[in-house]
Amino acid sequence: MLTLKCSKCKGKLFRYLKIGKGEVLKCYKDRITDKFNIEERGECLVCSVCGNKIGVDKGDYYSMVSKSFKYRGAKENKQR
Ligand SMILES: [Zn+2]
């Protein structure tokens, strides 16, 4: 489970179940478990504290803006 934070204001964004290795380029909506300071504005996913653009809604997933957030936590390598 990863916890994503806004790189601008350091606010917690959401928790995400990452499966597989590699960078977080997409976040699938059904793997977002807890939402904190995050909201949708039109097609964009933004930090509700500072308005930083975090990603773009692509239907089943968000295409993430990699410089807009940081994350910590363990990546899952196996499907449970
Ligand atoms: Zn922010």
Side-chain angles (χ1 to χ4, degrees):
M1 198 64 86
L2 301 179
T3 301
L4 279 75
K5 288 185 174 183
C6 177
S7 60
K8 232 179 189 177
C9 71
K10 317 291 185 212
K12 265 197 221 174
L13 298 170
F14 55 85
R15 279 157 61 84
Y16 181 66
L17 178 62
K18 174 85 167 77
I19 296 169
K21 292 177 183 176
E23 294 304 305
V24 179
L25 302 173
K26 293 177 181 178
C27 280
Y28 290 91
K29 290 176 180 177
D30 59 3
R31 294 193 208 149
I32 295 173
T33 56
D34 296 293
K35 292 184 179 181
F36 304 106
N37 301 311
I38 198 76
E39 66 180 53
E40 290 186 16
R41 284 186 198 162
E43 289 189 329
C44 294
L45 190 68
V46 300
C47 172
S48 59
V49 177
C50 71
N52 193 17
K53 182 178 165 186
I54 305 299
V56 179
D57 193 337
K58 298 287 185 183
D60 291 343
Y61 66 91
Y62 297 106
S63 176
M64 303 300 285
V65 181
S66 57
K67 64 179 187 304
S68 299
F69 64 93
K70 297 189 183 312
Y71 57 84
R72 58 183 300 176
K75 293 173 185 173
E76 304 287 331
N77 291 323
K78 288 183 218 163
Q79 191 109 28
R80 281 187 184 154

